[in-house]
Amino acid sequence: MKKSRLILLVLVFTAVLVGYRYVNSFSPIEKKTAVRQYAPHPSDEIKWSEASQDAQTYQIRFEQVAAAVKNGAKCYDVRSFIEYQLGNIGIAEHYPLSSLRKQEFPAVVHDVPIYLYGSDSVMSAQAAKLLRDEGFQYVYDLGSVEQIKAIGATLYSI
């Protein structure tokens, strides 16, 4: 048991160290653009049948999410820190589901649009429900990583 905990600790430490070194290898200007850079999905075709229910209902494309974030909306990745470090969509901020479960909500006005995704659609649905129950008015559940790819997102490794 202790050996598996030690191995897990070493793996987590290594992932954090690699991510830290990678991010700090950029100049301040490069950091800003590397984190927030948006590149269109290679395929212009949206796979609506694979998209989340909210994406289908509101016909949300990733380029619309990127434009909304540029204009003040928020996009949250509700996965674990390690999952976020291993790859995210570039425009998303890390806001883990565990924080929402502890009633730690984002410090944004309740009428700011919030887009979110997680490891799977259950995780993102739980996060969306917690935010809606807290009074956030415009919460769009983009579902799992695979579902957000279906609307045109690309995952970037850090």
Side-chain angles (χ1 to χ4, degrees):
M1 186 69 150
K2 288 182 180 182
K3 187 176 182 180
S4 62
R5 285 185 184 173
L6 180 62
I7 291 171
L8 181 61
L9 183 62
V10 168
L11 287 173
V12 169
F13 178 75
T14 304
V16 171
L17 183 62
V18 168
Y20 177 79
R21 284 189 175 177
Y22 177 79
V23 169
N24 285 322
S25 68
F26 293 111
S27 71
I29 293 172
E30 288 175 321
K31 276 185 197 177
K32 197 171 191 177
T33 57
V35 173
R36 298 287 176 221
Q37 188 177 31
Y38 163 71
H41 193 270
S43 169
D44 290 331
E45 186 179 326
I46 302 298
K47 300 172 186 164
W48 293 112
S49 62
E50 297 174 20
S52 71
Q53 186 62 48
D54 279 1
Q56 289 179 30
T57 301
Y58 301 108
Q59 295 289 289
I60 300 171
R61 295 172 176 267
F62 184 71
E63 63 259 12
Q64 293 168 313
V65 176
V69 168
K70 194 172 187 176
N71 290 320
K74 296 292 182 182
C75 182
Y76 294 126
D77 182 327
V78 297
R79 299 176 301 158
S80 71
F81 177 74
I82 293 173
E83 289 173 305
Y84 178 78
Q85 288 288 3
L86 291 174
N88 61 72
I89 61 172
I91 62 167
E93 297 175 37
H94 182 236
Y95 209 95
L97 179 60
S98 59
S99 294
L100 295 173
R101 286 183 177 146
K102 294 178 196 172
Q103 303 294 306
E104 296 170 2
F105 295 101
V108 297
V109 180
H110 282 66
D111 63 352
V112 169
I114 297 175
Y115 300 90
L116 45 89
Y117 70 97
S119 298
D120 55 46
S121 57
V122 173
M123 176 183 268
S124 62
Q126 289 173 351
K129 181 177 179 351
L130 289 166
L131 289 167
R132 289 176 183 137
D133 289 350
E134 186 61 23
F136 290 92
Q137 297 174 16
Y138 304 104
V139 178
Y140 301 98
D141 175 8
L142 300 178
S144 69
V145 170
E146 293 305 314
Q147 288 174 312
I148 198 166
K149 286 180 183 177
I151 62 168
T154 302
L155 238 60
Y156 298 99
S157 297
I158 292 182

